[in-house]
Amino acid sequence: MIASVRGVVTAILPDSAVVEVGGVGMRVLCTPGTLAGLRTGAEARLATTLIVREDSLTLFGFADEDEKQLFELLLTANGVGPRIAQAVLAVHQPDVVRRALSGGDVAVLTAVPGIGKRGAEKMIVELKDKIGPVGLAGAGSSGLLNGAWQEQVRQGVLALGWTAGQADQAVAAVAETIDGETPPVPVLLRQAIRLLGKTR
């Protein structure tokens, strides 16, 4: 299993990027949102999932672990393959998808190309009990939300080369800025990186 790749981006294609890792160019299929955050010639780290088929090995890349975890969860639903799971993430933020699954919001899922009403209903039935409370808006879930984003942001900062102490300081600083609903993890991670950039 290739859990992540880190290296210089040598090419950005319409549906993928090529990341050079140890002299080997790895083609990683990504959503448009993930691709938009990459720059040719710059170093990048992508969380990845390797899909093994009889005739192919395909690497899917994600901006963070939150997207990757949701992608892998979506794959556990019958009839959902990697392309559909990636399309879901291309259209919606992970928290939006989790709320749709837990709340039975068919309209959100059918907004994704390739998912019809019957398919959306089937996904909801199969996945709503697997997603847990993460991403739910409401009383009693804030502690779980906070614990989830704090660890994800910390790991993201560590992966980008900062120390554990700096990562903890950044998470604490970001936590102080949150008032009300917790923003998506990618937003919080970008905020942490900006704060750390000022201290360098």
Side-chain angles (χ1 to χ4, degrees):
M1 170 65 78
I2 300 174
S4 66
V5 297
R6 184 173 184 170
V8 175
V9 178
T10 59
I12 298 176
L13 308 170
D15 65 346
S16 59
V18 178
V19 181
E20 188 169 311
V21 181
V24 177
M26 303 185 112
R27 184 178 176 223
V28 186
L29 299 182
C30 304
T31 65
T34 298
L35 291 173
L38 303 178
R39 296 290 178 269
T40 302
E43 186 172 273
R45 180 194 181 276
L46 294 172
T48 57
T49 295
L50 180 65
I51 302 296
V52 179
R53 295 283 186 263
E54 193 173 319
D55 58 348
S56 67
L57 297 173
T58 307
L59 202 57
F60 288 83
F62 311 93
D64 56 42
E65 292 293 333
D66 191 35
E67 285 189 1
K68 173 183 171 177
Q69 289 168 9
L70 182 56
F71 175 84
E72 293 177 346
L73 175 67
L74 292 170
L75 291 180
T76 65
N78 286 323
V80 177
R83 292 292 186 174
I84 290 291
Q86 189 180 47
V88 171
L89 291 169
V91 175
H92 299 299
Q93 290 285 337
D95 281 350
V96 173
V97 179
R98 290 193 181 95
R99 282 196 290 270
L101 291 170
S102 65
D105 193 339
V106 171
V108 168
L109 298 176
T110 54
V112 178
I115 299 180
K117 184 180 179 184
R118 180 177 285 182
E121 291 170 345
K122 195 174 176 185
M123 285 174 64
I124 289 167
V125 169
E126 291 186 28
L127 299 178
K128 71 176 182 179
D129 292 331
K130 295 182 180 180
I131 61 170
V134 178
L136 291 176
S141 66
S142 58
L144 289 160
L145 272 168
N146 289 343
W149 79 255
Q150 287 170 344
E151 183 57 25
Q152 288 169 358
V153 170
R154 185 176 186 277
Q155 291 301 321
V157 169
L158 290 172
L160 291 169
W162 276 281
T163 66
Q166 289 171 318
D168 290 338
Q169 287 176 356
V171 168
V174 170
E176 289 176 2
T177 69
I178 295 175
D179 183 19
E181 188 175 345
T182 304
V185 169
V187 173
L188 296 170
L189 179 56
R190 283 193 291 270
Q191 190 175 347
I193 292 167
R194 280 197 298 271
L195 290 168
L196 286 167
K198 292 177 183 176
T199 63
R200 277 192 164 177

